[in-house]
Coordinates of all heavy atoms in Angstrom, one line a residue:
F221 N 0.8 -1.2 0.0 CA 0.0 0.0 0.0 C 0.8 1.3 0.0 O 0.5 2.2 -0.6 CB -0.9 0.0 1.2 CG -2.2 -0.8 1.1 CD1 -2.4 -1.7 2.1 CD2 -3.0 -0.8 0.0 CE1 -3.7 -2.5 2.0 CE2 -4.1 -1.5 -0.1 CZ -4.5 -2.4 0.8
S222 N 1.9 1.2 0.7 CA 2.8 2.4 0.8 C 3.5 2.7 -0.5 O 3.8 3.8 -0.8 CB 3.9 2.3 1.9 OG 4.9 1.3 1.6
L223 N 3.8 1.6 -1.2 CA 4.4 1.8 -2.6 C 3.5 2.4 -3.5 O 3.8 3.2 -4.5 CB 4.9 0.5 -3.1 CG 6.2 0.0 -2.3 CD1 6.5 -1.4 -2.7 CD2 7.4 0.9 -2.6
I224 N 2.2 2.1 -3.5 CA 1.1 2.8 -4.3 C 1.1 4.3 -4.0 O 1.1 5.1 -4.9 CB -0.2 2.1 -4.1 CG1 -0.3 0.6 -4.6 CG2 -1.2 2.9 -4.9 CD1 -1.6 0.0 -4.1
R225 N 1.1 4.6 -2.7 CA 1.2 6.1 -2.3 C 2.5 6.7 -2.8 O 2.4 7.8 -3.3 CB 1.2 6.2 -0.7 CG -0.2 5.7 -0.2 CD -0.4 6.1 1.2 NE 0.6 5.6 2.2 CZ 0.5 4.5 2.8 NH1 -0.6 3.6 2.6 NH2 1.5 4.0 3.6
L226 N 3.6 6.1 -2.7 CA 4.8 6.6 -3.2 C 4.8 6.8 -4.7 O 5.3 7.8 -5.2 CB 6.0 5.6 -2.8 CG 7.4 6.1 -3.2 CD1 7.8 7.4 -2.5 CD2 8.5 5.0 -2.9
A227 N 4.2 5.8 -5.5 CA 4.1 6.0 -6.9 C 3.3 7.2 -7.2 O 3.7 8.0 -8.1 CB 3.5 4.8 -7.5
R228 N 2.2 7.5 -6.5 CA 1.4 8.6 -6.8 C 2.1 9.9 -6.5 O 2.0 10.8 -7.2 CB 0.0 8.5 -6.0 CG -0.9 9.7 -6.1 CD -1.3 9.9 -7.5 NE -2.3 9.1 -8.0 CZ -2.7 9.0 -9.3 NH1 -2.3 10.0 -10.1 NH2 -3.6 8.2 -9.7
K229 N 2.8 9.9 -5.4 CA 3.6 11.1 -5.0 C 4.7 11.4 -5.9 O 5.0 12.5 -6.3 CB 4.2 10.8 -3.5 CG 5.0 12.1 -3.0 CD 5.5 11.8 -1.6 CE 6.3 12.9 -1.1 NZ 6.9 12.6 0.2
T230 N 5.4 10.3 -6.4 CA 6.6 10.4 -7.3 C 6.3 10.7 -8.7 O 6.9 11.4 -9.4 CB 7.5 9.1 -7.2 OG1 7.6 8.7 -5.9 CG2 8.8 9.3 -7.9
I231 N 5.1 10.3 -9.2 CA 4.7 10.4 -10.6 C 3.2 11.1 -10.5 O 2.3 10.6 -11.0 CB 4.6 9.2 -11.3 CG1 5.8 8.2 -10.9 CG2 4.6 9.3 -12.9 CD1 5.8 6.8 -11.3
P232 N 3.1 12.4 -10.0 CA 1.9 12.9 -9.8 C 1.0 13.3 -11.0 O -0.2 13.4 -11.0 CB 2.2 14.3 -9.0 CG 3.6 14.6 -9.5 CD 4.2 13.2 -9.6
N233 N 1.7 13.4 -12.2 CA 1.1 13.7 -13.4 C 0.6 12.6 -14.3 O 0.0 12.8 -15.3 CB 2.0 14.6 -14.2 CG 2.4 15.9 -13.6 OD1 1.5 16.5 -12.9 ND2 3.6 16.3 -13.8
A234 N 0.8 11.3 -13.8 CA 0.3 10.1 -14.4 C -1.2 10.2 -14.4 O -1.8 10.3 -13.3 CB 0.8 8.9 -13.9
M235 N -1.9 9.9 -15.6 CA -3.3 9.8 -15.6 C -3.8 8.7 -14.7 O -4.9 8.7 -14.1 CB -3.8 9.8 -17.1 CG -5.3 9.8 -17.1 SD -5.8 9.5 -18.8 CE -5.3 11.0 -19.6
K236 N -3.0 7.6 -14.9 CA -3.5 6.4 -14.2 C -2.3 5.8 -13.3 O -1.2 5.6 -13.9 CB -3.9 5.3 -15.1 CG -5.1 5.7 -16.1 CD -5.5 4.6 -17.0 CE -6.4 5.1 -18.2 NZ -5.7 5.5 -19.3
I237 N -2.5 5.5 -12.0 CA -1.7 4.6 -11.3 C -2.5 3.3 -11.2 O -3.5 3.2 -10.5 CB -1.3 5.2 -10.0 CG1 -0.6 6.5 -10.0 CG2 -0.5 4.2 -9.1 CD1 0.8 6.4 -10.6
M238 N -2.0 2.3 -11.9 CA -2.8 1.1 -12.1 C -2.2 -0.1 -11.3 O -1.0 -0.4 -11.5 CB -2.9 0.7 -13.6 CG -3.8 -0.5 -13.9 SD -4.0 -0.8 -15.6 CE -2.3 -1.4 -16.2
V239 N -3.0 -0.8 -10.6 CA -2.5 -2.0 -9.8 C -2.8 -3.2 -10.8 O -3.9 -3.4 -11.2 CB -3.1 -2.2 -8.5 CG1 -2.8 -3.5 -7.9 CG2 -2.9 -1.1 -7.5
A240 N -1.7 -3.8 -11.2 CA -1.9 -4.9 -12.2 C -1.7 -6.2 -11.5 O -2.4 -6.7 -10.6 CB -1.0 -4.6 -13.4
G241 N -0.7 -7.1 -12.0 CA -0.5 -8.4 -11.6 C -0.2 -8.5 -10.0 O 0.4 -7.7 -9.5
G242 N -0.8 -9.4 -9.4 CA -0.7 -9.7 -8.1 C -1.6 -9.1 -7.1 O -1.6 -9.1 -5.8
R243 N -2.6 -8.3 -7.7 CA -3.6 -7.6 -6.9 C -4.3 -8.4 -5.9 O -4.4 -8.2 -4.6 CB -4.6 -6.9 -7.7 CG -5.9 -6.3 -7.0 CD -6.8 -5.5 -7.8 NE -7.2 -6.2 -9.0 CZ -8.6 -6.7 -9.1 NH1 -9.3 -6.5 -8.0 NH2 -9.0 -7.2 -10.1
E244 N -4.9 -9.6 -6.3 CA -5.6 -10.4 -5.4 C -4.8 -11.1 -4.4 O -5.2 -11.2 -3.2 CB -6.4 -11.5 -6.3 CG -7.4 -11.0 -7.3 CD -6.8 -10.6 -8.7 OE1 -5.5 -10.5 -8.8 OE2 -7.5 -10.2 -9.6
L245 N -3.6 -11.6 -4.7 CA -2.7 -12.2 -3.9 C -2.1 -11.4 -2.9 O -2.2 -11.7 -1.6 CB -1.6 -12.9 -4.6 CG -0.6 -13.9 -3.8 CD1 -1.4 -15.0 -3.3 CD2 0.5 -14.3 -4.7
M246 N -1.7 -10.1 -3.2 CA -1.0 -9.2 -2.3 C -2.1 -8.6 -1.4 O -1.8 -8.4 -0.2 CB -0.4 -8.1 -3.1 CG 0.3 -7.0 -2.2 SD 1.3 -7.6 -0.9 CE 2.7 -8.2 -1.9
F247 N -3.2 -8.2 -1.8 CA -4.2 -7.4 -1.1 C -5.4 -8.2 -0.5 O -6.0 -7.7 0.4 CB -4.6 -6.2 -1.9 CG -3.4 -5.3 -2.2 CD1 -3.0 -5.3 -3.6 CD2 -2.8 -4.5 -1.3 CE1 -2.0 -4.5 -4.0 CE2 -1.8 -3.7 -1.8 CZ -1.4 -3.7 -3.0
G248 N -5.7 -9.3 -1.1 CA -6.8 -10.2 -0.5 C -8.1 -9.4 -0.4 O -8.6 -8.8 -1.3
E249 N -8.6 -9.5 0.8 CA -9.9 -8.9 1.1 C -9.9 -7.3 1.2 O -10.8 -6.7 1.2 CB -10.5 -9.5 2.4 CG -9.8 -9.0 3.7 CD -8.5 -9.7 4.0 OE1 -8.1 -10.5 3.2 OE2 -7.9 -9.3 5.1
E250 N -8.6 -6.8 1.1 CA -8.4 -5.4 1.2 C -8.1 -4.8 -0.1 O -7.6 -3.6 -0.2 CB -7.4 -5.0 2.3 CG -7.7 -5.4 3.7 CD -6.7 -4.9 4.7 OE1 -5.5 -5.4 4.6 OE2 -7.0 -4.0 5.4
Q251 N -8.3 -5.5 -1.2 CA -7.7 -5.0 -2.5 C -8.4 -3.8 -3.0 O -7.8 -3.0 -3.8 CB -7.9 -6.2 -3.6 CG -9.4 -6.7 -3.8 CD -9.4 -7.9 -4.6 OE1 -9.3 -7.9 -5.9 NE2 -9.4 -9.2 -4.0
Y252 N -9.7 -3.5 -2.6 CA -10.2 -2.3 -3.1 C -9.8 -1.1 -2.3 O -10.0 0.1 -2.7 CB -11.8 -2.3 -3.1 CG -12.3 -3.6 -4.0 CD1 -12.7 -4.8 -3.4 CD2 -12.2 -3.4 -5.3 CE1 -13.0 -5.8 -4.2 CE2 -12.6 -4.5 -6.2 CZ -13.0 -5.6 -5.5 OH -13.4 -6.7 -6.3
K253 N -9.0 -1.2 -1.3 CA -8.4 0.0 -0.5 C -7.1 0.5 -1.4 O -6.6 1.5 -1.0 CB -7.8 -0.7 0.8 CG -8.9 -0.8 1.8 CD -8.4 -1.2 3.2 CE -9.4 -1.5 4.2 NZ -8.9 -1.8 5.5
I254 N -6.8 -0.2 -2.5 CA -5.9 0.5 -3.4 C -6.2 1.9 -3.8 O -5.3 2.8 -3.9 CB -5.5 -0.4 -4.6 CG1 -6.8 -0.6 -5.4 CG2 -4.9 -1.7 -4.2 CD1 -6.5 -1.3 -6.8
F255 N -7.5 2.1 -3.9 CA -8.0 3.4 -4.3 C -7.8 4.5 -3.2 O -7.6 5.6 -3.4 CB -9.5 3.4 -4.8 CG -9.7 2.4 -5.9 CD1 -10.5 1.3 -5.7 CD2 -9.0 2.4 -7.1 CE1 -10.8 0.3 -6.6 CE2 -9.1 1.5 -8.0 CZ -10.1 0.4 -7.9
E256 N -7.9 4.1 -2.0 CA -7.6 5.0 -0.9 C -6.2 5.4 -0.7 O -5.8 6.4 -0.1 CB -8.0 4.3 0.5 CG -9.5 4.0 0.6 CD -9.8 3.2 2.0 OE1 -9.0 3.3 2.9 OE2 -10.8 2.5 2.0
N257 N -5.3 4.6 -1.4 CA -3.9 4.8 -1.3 C -3.3 5.4 -2.6 O -2.1 5.5 -2.7 CB -3.2 3.4 -1.1 CG -3.4 3.0 0.4 OD1 -2.8 3.5 1.3 ND2 -4.5 2.2 0.7
G258 N -4.2 5.8 -3.6 CA -3.6 6.5 -4.6 C -3.8 5.9 -6.0 O -3.5 6.6 -7.1
A259 N -4.2 4.7 -6.1 CA -4.4 4.0 -7.4 C -5.7 4.5 -7.9 O -6.7 4.9 -7.2 CB -4.4 2.5 -7.2
N260 N -6.0 4.5 -9.2 CA -7.2 4.9 -9.9 C -7.5 3.9 -11.0 O -8.3 4.3 -11.9 CB -7.3 6.3 -10.3 CG -6.3 6.7 -11.3 OD1 -5.3 6.0 -11.5 ND2 -6.6 7.7 -12.0
A261 N -6.8 2.8 -11.1 CA -7.1 1.8 -12.2 C -6.6 0.5 -11.8 O -5.7 0.3 -11.0 CB -6.2 2.2 -13.5
F262 N -7.2 -0.5 -12.4 CA -6.6 -1.9 -12.2 C -7.0 -2.8 -13.5 O -7.8 -2.4 -14.3 CB -7.1 -2.6 -10.9 CG -8.5 -3.0 -10.7 CD1 -9.1 -4.0 -11.4 CD2 -9.3 -2.4 -9.9 CE1 -10.4 -4.4 -11.4 CE2 -10.6 -2.6 -9.7 CZ -11.2 -3.7 -10.5
V263 N -6.3 -3.9 -13.5 CA -6.5 -4.9 -14.6 C -7.8 -5.7 -14.3 O -7.9 -6.3 -13.2 CB -5.3 -5.8 -14.7 CG1 -5.6 -7.0 -15.8 CG2 -4.2 -5.0 -15.3

């Protein structure tokens, strides 16, 4: 989660910060919290 926040902070002008491979395995039941942490897209 902290790396998603870091990506958004480091690349603020990107239209999409997208969580791709490993979403389900890494985040499990909390996978939709990626949006609270700066992502705005997924596969």
